[in-house]
Every structure is written in C-alpha cells, then in structure tokens.
Amino acid sequence: MERILQAMACSDLEVRVLRMARSFPEPSNVMAAYRLRRGADVRDVADAHAAALTNSGDQFQRHIISATTPSEPEVGAFVSAMSRYWRN
C-alpha cells in the first residue's frame, strides 16, 4: 500500500505515512510490560501525528514512531524476567 501511495504522491496529494507497532487493545498487564520495555506513550504518538500533518517538505514522507529501549540494563532484565507473569 505504501508503494502505491508513494507513486501517487504529488503537489496535489501530499502523503504522510506513520508506522507504529502494537496499536490494538490488549490487557493492561500485557500493555504495561510492553511499554516498560519499548512502548511509546500515546501522547508521543499524538505529537507525531500532529507533526506529520503540519510538516512541509517532500510530497511523500514516511515516519517511524517508536520509543527508546530502557537505558538501565537492570530495568530491561527485570522486565524480561517478570514478563512471563504478565502474559495471559
């Protein structure tokens, strides 16, 4: 689909593609485990959408929305160890 939109992009049809993962409803324990490791906050996703809508530039633009990995190795190790309890 992105290739088709990229081919169609022109001065009359500017296209912005935003990619993000895990944008579906899931149990709060699963969502918490995911966000602790690498999930993006909904406010950051909203900001990314607003930035894409107001961004001028190339007629076709692709934006990747993601969060950084925890900087503390201990946090990542703890979440990985506990995630087996948070799954359904």
Side-chain angles (χ1 to χ4, degrees):
M1 179 61 92
E2 284 182 30
R3 288 185 198 148
I4 295 169
L5 291 171
Q6 187 172 7
M8 294 175 62
C10 63
S11 60
D12 292 329
L13 178 63
E14 293 185 351
V15 177
R16 305 295 182 259
V17 173
L18 286 88
R19 288 187 185 175
M20 58 184 237
R22 300 181 73 94
S23 59
F24 47 85
E26 40 188 2
S28 59
N29 58 344
V30 174
M31 186 181 302
Y34 175 74
R35 286 195 179 154
L36 281 172
R37 285 193 289 184
R38 61 190 178 277
D41 187 277
V42 67
R43 293 166 290 196
D44 295 331
V45 173
D47 288 345
H49 279 79
L53 289 172
T54 59
N55 182 5
S56 61
D58 293 341
Q59 296 167 348
F60 178 84
Q61 296 179 24
R62 183 179 294 114
H63 303 270
I64 311 298
I65 303 170
S66 64
T68 58
T69 303
S71 58
E72 297 292 326
E74 297 83 18
V75 173
F78 170 76
V79 171
S80 292
M82 296 304 294
S83 66
R84 63 183 164 162
Y85 299 108
W86 293 334
R87 297 194 182 162
N88 290 340

